[in-house]
C-alpha cells in the first residue's frame, strides 16, 4: 500500500479537485439506484448549460460524439464545467485504482446525476466500448457491481463470509454483436434511492463514486479523450480526427473476484482475462516455463497509476516466435479481452497490429501459473502491447483472491500525445 499511497499523493498534485461531496449510486437488481438523484427535480441550480449538436444518425466515433453532446445537454453550466476539461497531461494521467473519489481523478461524479443524466452518461460509455460478453461495456458494468458489493460489506462494518471465487465462465468477446447510436443502456438507472453518506461507504467504494470527463471538446475533427473510472477501473480513450488513436491505459481489477447476486446471477468480471492467461501458461512445456520465468516478484502491476512511460528497457520471458503456431494463437487470444475494452472496429485494428508484432512479443510470469495466490503474475510485452495480470490477497474479503490488471501500449498510451521520461 505504501507504493499506492505514493502514487496517490503524486496524482493529487497534478490537478485541482472538482466539486464537493455527493451521495452514491448503488446497483440494485442489475440497475442503478441513485442516492439523492432518483428524480429530475433539482433546486438551486446554476445557469443553463450550453447546447451541443446531436446527430441521431451518426455512427462510429460520430455516435460517441453525439452521445457525449446529448449528455452535456442534460447538464447545467456548472456541471458542464466539471465534465469539459483541458486535454492536458495532468488531467489525462489523473486516474487511480484506489477508492479515492475526486481526490485522484477528474470529472463529474455519477452519484450526483439525475436519472436522465446518468442514463445519458452511461450511453456514452456504452457506445465507446466493446460489445462482447464479459468484455467492454458488459465487463465495465460488472466492475461497478463489484464495487457495490464492497460498499455493502463495509457498510455493515464486516465483510462477513467471503463470496466464492471459484466460479468460472466461458466469457469471450463477440465480434458479431453491435450497438447503434440510439442504443441506451437498459441497466441504468432504476430503483429507490438507498441510504448512505457521501463517498459511497467508509472506503469510498460504490458505483456512485465513478467519474466521467471529456478532456478536450468531443468532436470528429479534433483531439479529445473519454476519461471514465473509479475504484478498479480506468478507461482512457483518445480520439483524433474521428478515430481512436489510443485505447490505453486501461486498468481493470476486481474484489471479490466472483460473487452471486440476490437473484442468483453469478458474476466473475475478469474471467475472460484470467482464462486467457491460464490457457496460455498452461500450454507451455516445462522447458518453456523455465525460459518464461521472471526473476522479479510482483505484489501489484508494474505500470499502474503514476507509472506512465516506465516500461522496462529490456524485454523478459520467452519470445513468442519460439512458440508453436497453436501457442502463438493462444497469446493473441489472451491479449484480446483487454483490447476489447474499446469499440469493436478499433479493437479489430489493434489486434491486427499486435498479431503483426507477435514474433517480437514476449510472455513472462512470476510466482505460480494458477493465478490463485498472492504474487501470481503474468505479463505480455510486445513492441506495442503491454499487459499485466497479478493476484493479490483480498483487502475487504480477506483470504480470497483480488485481481489487478493493466493494458498499455508502448507508443499509443493517451493517443501518443505525451512524452514520459
Amino acid at each position: 500500500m505504501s507504493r499506492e499511497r505514493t502514487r496517490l499523493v503524486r496524482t493529487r498534485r497534478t490537478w485541482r479537485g472538482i466539486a464537493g461531496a455527493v451521495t452514491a449510486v448503488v446497483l440494485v437488481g442489475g440497475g442503478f439506484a441513485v442516492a439523492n438523484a432518483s428524480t429530475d427535480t433539482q433546486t438551486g441550480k446554476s445557469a443553463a448549460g450550453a447546447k451541443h449538436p446531436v446527430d441521431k444518425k451518426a455512427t462510429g466515433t460520430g455516435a460517441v460524439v453525439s452521445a457525449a453532446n446529448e449528455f452535456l445537454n442534460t447538464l447545467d453550466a456548472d456541471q458542464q464545467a466539471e465534465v469539459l476539461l483541458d486535454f492536458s497531461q495532468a488531467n489525462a494521467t489523473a486516474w487511480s485504482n484506489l477508492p479515492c473519489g475526486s481526490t485522484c481523478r477528474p470529472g463529474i461524479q455519477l452519484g450526483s446525476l439525475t436519472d436522465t443524466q446518468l442514463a445519458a452518461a452511461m450511453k456514452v460509455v456504452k457506445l465507446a466500448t466493446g460489445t462482447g460478453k464479459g468484455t467492454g461495456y458488459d465487463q465495465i458494468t460488472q466492475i461497478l457491481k463489484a464495487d457495490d458489493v464492497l460498499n455493502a460489506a463495509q457498510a455493515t462494518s464486516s465483510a462477513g463470509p467471503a463470496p466464492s471465487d471459484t466460479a468460472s465462465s466461458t466469457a469471450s468477446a463477440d465480434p458479431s454483436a453491435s450497438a447503434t447510436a440510439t442504443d441506451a443502456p437498459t441497466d441504468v438507472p432504476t430503483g429507490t434511492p438507498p441510504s448512505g453518506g457521501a463517498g459511497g461507504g467508509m472506503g469510498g467504494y460504490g458505483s456512485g463514486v465513478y467519474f466521467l470527463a471529456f478532456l478536450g471538446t468531443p468532436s470528429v475533427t479534433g483531439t479529445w479523450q473519454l476519461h471514465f473510472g473509479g475504484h478498479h477501473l480506468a478507461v482512457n480513450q483518445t480520439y483524433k480526427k474521428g478515430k481512436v488513436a489510443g485505447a490505453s491505459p486501461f486498468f481493470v481489477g476486481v474484489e471479490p473476484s466472483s460473487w452471486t447476486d440476490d437473484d442468483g446471477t453469478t458474476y466473475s468480471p475478469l474471467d475472460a482475462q484470467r482464462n486467457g492467461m491460464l490457457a496460455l501458461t498452461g500450454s507451455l512445456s516445462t522447458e518453456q516455463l523455465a525460459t518464461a520465468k521472471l526473476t522479479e516478484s510482483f505484489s501489484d502491476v508494474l505500470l499502474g497509476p503514476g507509472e506512465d512511460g516506465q516500461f522496462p528497457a529490456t524485454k523478459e520471458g520467452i519470445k513468442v516466435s519460439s512458440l508453436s503456431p497453436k501457442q502463438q494463437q493462444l497469446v493473441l487470444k489472451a491479449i484480446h479481452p483487454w483490447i476489447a475494452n474499446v469499440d469493436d472496429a478499433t479493437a479489430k485494428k489493434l489486434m491486427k497490429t499486435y498479431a503483426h508484432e507477435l514474433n517480437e512479443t514476449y510472455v513472462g510470469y512470476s510466482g505460480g501459473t494458477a493465478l490463485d495466490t498472492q504474487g501470481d503474475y503474468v505479463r505480455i510485452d510486445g513492441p506495442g502491447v503491454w499487459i499485466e495480470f497479478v493476484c493479490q490477497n483480498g483487502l475487504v474479503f480477506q483470504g480470497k483472491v483480488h485481481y489487478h490488471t493493466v493494458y498499455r501500449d508502448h507508443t499509443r498510451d493517451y493517443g501518443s500525445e505525451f512524452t514520459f521520461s
Side-chain angles (χ1 to χ4, degrees):
M1 289 300 292
S2 60
R3 185 179 181 187
E4 290 180 328
R5 290 194 182 103
T6 300
R7 291 174 180 165
L8 175 56
V9 170
R10 183 186 306 160
T11 305
R12 281 175 172 168
R13 291 172 180 167
T14 63
W15 71 290
R16 297 184 182 278
I18 304 168
V22 290
T23 49
V25 175
V26 177
L27 286 162
V28 178
F32 286 82
V34 188
N36 293 350
S38 60
T39 70
D40 291 341
T41 303
Q42 297 192 10
T43 59
K45 301 301 293 181
S46 69
K51 293 302 177 184
H52 299 264
V54 174
D55 180 2
K56 297 286 189 180
K57 296 182 180 180
T59 59
T61 299
V64 178
V65 171
S66 182
N69 287 340
E70 189 175 6
F71 169 58
L72 289 171
N73 289 343
T74 69
L75 307 178
D76 63 38
D78 285 348
Q79 291 175 313
Q80 287 185 0
E82 292 184 58
V83 175
L84 286 169
L85 304 172
D86 291 339
F87 185 24
S88 65
Q89 184 168 321
N91 282 333
T93 60
W95 57 272
S96 178
N97 60 277
L98 298 175
C100 45
S102 63
T103 65
C104 64
R105 50 182 68 90
I108 195 164
Q109 188 167 340
L110 296 190
S112 71
L113 302 177
T114 67
D115 285 3
T116 297
Q117 292 169 338
L118 180 58
M122 296 307 294
K123 179 180 177 180
V124 180
V125 177
K126 181 177 183 179
L127 290 175
T129 53
T131 62
K133 181 181 179 181
T135 61
Y137 185 74
D138 181 34
Q139 183 178 70
I140 286 170
T141 58
Q142 290 187 51
I143 296 300
L144 270 65
K145 291 175 188 288
D147 238 21
D148 285 330
V149 173
L150 288 179
N151 185 32
Q154 286 213 329
T156 60
S157 299
S158 173
S164 168
D165 62 359
T166 59
S168 62
S169 75
T170 57
S172 61
D174 179 9
S176 65
S178 62
T180 66
T182 56
D183 280 343
T186 59
D187 52 0
V188 296
T190 61
T192 303
S195 60
M202 293 183 293
Y205 301 116
S207 56
V209 197
Y210 277 70
F211 295 77
L212 175 63
F214 305 143
L215 309 185
T217 302
S219 75
V220 295
T221 58
T223 299
W224 64 286
Q225 183 190 101
L226 172 64
H227 190 102
F228 176 73
H231 176 237
H232 277 168
L233 180 68
V235 175
N236 297 285
Q237 295 186 5
T238 306
Y239 296 84
K240 290 183 183 180
K241 297 180 180 180
K243 297 181 179 179
V244 177
S248 58
F250 172 60
F251 182 98
V252 60
V254 69
E255 182 184 354
S257 61
S258 177
W259 74 95
T260 300
D261 213 345
D262 290 341
D263 64 0
T265 302
T266 296
Y267 297 97
S268 302
L270 289 189
D271 262 11
Q273 278 89 344
R274 181 176 183 268
N275 291 344
M277 289 299 200
L278 287 174
L280 170 57
T281 57
S283 76
L284 301 180
S285 68
T286 301
E287 182 179 355
Q288 289 172 328
L289 284 170
T291 303
K293 186 78 170 182
L294 303 175
T295 58
E296 308 96 325
S297 297
F298 299 89
S299 61
D300 202 352
V301 295
L302 188 64
L303 296 186
E307 302 295 339
D308 299 292
Q310 303 306 304
F311 298 97
T314 302
K315 296 189 186 302
E316 299 176 90
I318 189 168
K319 200 171 185 179
V320 175
S321 60
S322 71
L323 302 180
S324 71
K326 182 177 180 180
Q327 289 173 318
Q328 292 180 13
Q329 288 303 307
L330 289 176
V331 175
L332 289 174
K333 289 181 180 180
I335 291 172
H336 185 262
W338 280 272
I339 314 309
N341 79 92
V342 74
D343 70 272
D344 298 344
T346 301
K348 185 176 181 179
K349 292 178 181 178
L350 283 169
M351 288 303 299
K352 285 185 177 180
T353 297
Y354 297 150
H356 180 72
E357 298 173 344
L358 198 60
N359 283 343
E360 299 302 317
T361 299
Y362 288 72
V363 174
Y365 77 98
S366 181
T369 59
L371 298 180
D372 60 1
T373 303
Q374 168 82 17
D376 286 359
Y377 172 93
V378 183
R379 174 197 301 172
I380 299 175
D381 182 14
V385 69
W386 170 278
I387 288 172
E388 297 177 82
F389 188 110
V390 68
C391 295
Q392 299 179 326
N393 290 329
L395 298 177
V396 175
F397 293 102
Q398 297 183 14
K400 294 294 180 179
V401 74
H402 170 178
Y403 301 140
H404 278 187
T405 85
V406 70
Y407 156 56
R408 287 185 178 268
D409 189 291
H410 285 262
T411 62
R412 298 174 181 83
D413 276 4
Y414 309 108
S416 310
E417 285 293 299
F418 311 116
T419 300
F420 303 99
S421 57

